Amino acid sequence: LAEPALGVRVLPLLPGHDASLGCHFVRTLLWHIRPHRNALLVAGALGETPVVALSGRFHMYEGHEAALAGFPVRVLHALGVETLIVSNAAGAVRPSLSPGDLMLITDHINFMFRNPLIGGVEQGDERFPDMSDPYDTDLRALARRVAAEQGTTLQEGVYAGLLGPSYETRAEVQMLQRLGADVVGMSTVPEVIVARARGMRVLGFSCVTNLACGLAAAPITHDEVIETTARVAARLQELVGGVVSAL
């Protein structure tokens, strides 16, 4: 999603935000992403709307703490971002979903058993953020409207975040089905928790890349995930672009 923003121009911090704090967070983020050659912080515009986009993320299965997985959201907030749009690749737990589907995230289940807010309270954080509506109701309504206008079929459901990096077992998928999950992945949850602690509005999309274990005859491969993500990317970019333009 960072690619369409690459008519890049340097953007000033938005009014009312501490420039020194923003620059400190950016320097810290850049230090952390040095080993990750594909990780980018992109400032530019999506249509006429100024955006800051993150290409790449810190996955906890790489050995990172939950606090670092959520840290890029702190950078965005310090730069003046008030609305966060997250996306991920996910496996279908609900049998009615198919590879290539786009799913609007209505809620999530944190099966990473980690929370990025553990520890001392960061300045500006809410200590006990309410998570009854982590994915903003009004933003979800906007996404549905934009999808309908674009003729894009948009599924809806609950995202289950697991630690990874191994894919789920057949028994784990059956457990997730019983607990109300529709898709499963290995990211997103830490970022959304931090965003809610900072008072940011959140909208989330899952790209269904594969059927979870037990729903397909063939084993899951990472190549399958990458191929499906590339195939669906244009539709997701168009949808996000429409939402951003309507904000």
Side-chain angles (χ1 to χ4, degrees), residues 187-217:
S187 67
T188 303
V189 171
E191 296 103 304
V192 173
I193 292 174
V194 169
R196 294 304 303 133
R198 304 299 287 188
M200 300 169 72
R201 302 171 71 201
V202 180
L203 178 66
F205 299 99
S206 287
C207 169
V208 179
T209 55
N210 58 277
L211 300 177
C213 181
L215 300 183

Side-chain angles (χ1 to χ4, degrees), residues 138-196:
D138 292 338
L139 290 178
R140 284 188 279 128
L142 175 60
R144 292 187 200 101
R145 177 171 65 78
V146 171
E149 291 171 352
Q150 294 177 348
T152 297
T153 300
L154 189 59
Q155 306 287 346
E156 298 190 34
V158 175
Y159 175 87
L162 273 67
L163 196 57
S166 56
Y167 290 114
E168 300 71 36
T169 67
R170 191 181 302 263
E172 287 168 343
V173 171
Q174 292 172 348
M175 174 195 70
L176 291 172
Q177 289 174 333
R178 290 183 173 91
L179 292 176
D182 297 290
V183 297
V184 60
M186 305 173 191
S187 67
T188 303
V189 171
E191 296 103 304
V192 173
I193 292 174
V194 169
R196 294 304 303 133

Side-chain angles (χ1 to χ4, degrees), residues 29 73 128 139 221:
L29 176 64
V73 176
F128 303 107
L139 290 178
T221 68

Side-chain angles (χ1 to χ4, degrees), residues 73-74 77 115-117 121-131 134 190-202:
V73 176
R74 298 188 183 281
H77 185 264
N115 193 301
L117 305 182
V121 183
E122 294 283 347
Q123 182 179 359
D125 274 13
E126 185 175 346
R127 170 79 283 188
F128 303 107
D130 174 64
M131 295 296 291
E191 296 103 304
V192 173
I193 292 174
V194 169
R196 294 304 303 133
R198 304 299 287 188
M200 300 169 72
R201 302 171 71 201
V202 180

Side-chain angles (χ1 to χ4, degrees), residues 85-120:
I85 301 178
V86 294
S87 64
N88 58 57
V93 171
R94 191 174 80 211
S96 62
L97 294 172
S98 301
D101 284 349
L102 288 179
M103 192 193 84
L104 179 65
I105 304 175
T106 59
D107 206 342
H108 71 231
I109 302 173
N110 184 1
F111 267 117
M112 296 174 172
F113 300 109
R114 308 285 194 281
N115 193 301
L117 305 182
I118 288 176

Side-chain angles (χ1 to χ4, degrees), residues 206-231:
S206 287
C207 169
V208 179
T209 55
N210 58 277
L211 300 177
C213 181
L215 300 183
I220 303 168
T221 68
H222 189 59
D223 288 342
E224 174 188 6
V225 172
I226 297 300
E227 186 277 328
T228 305
T229 301
R231 178 162 50 88

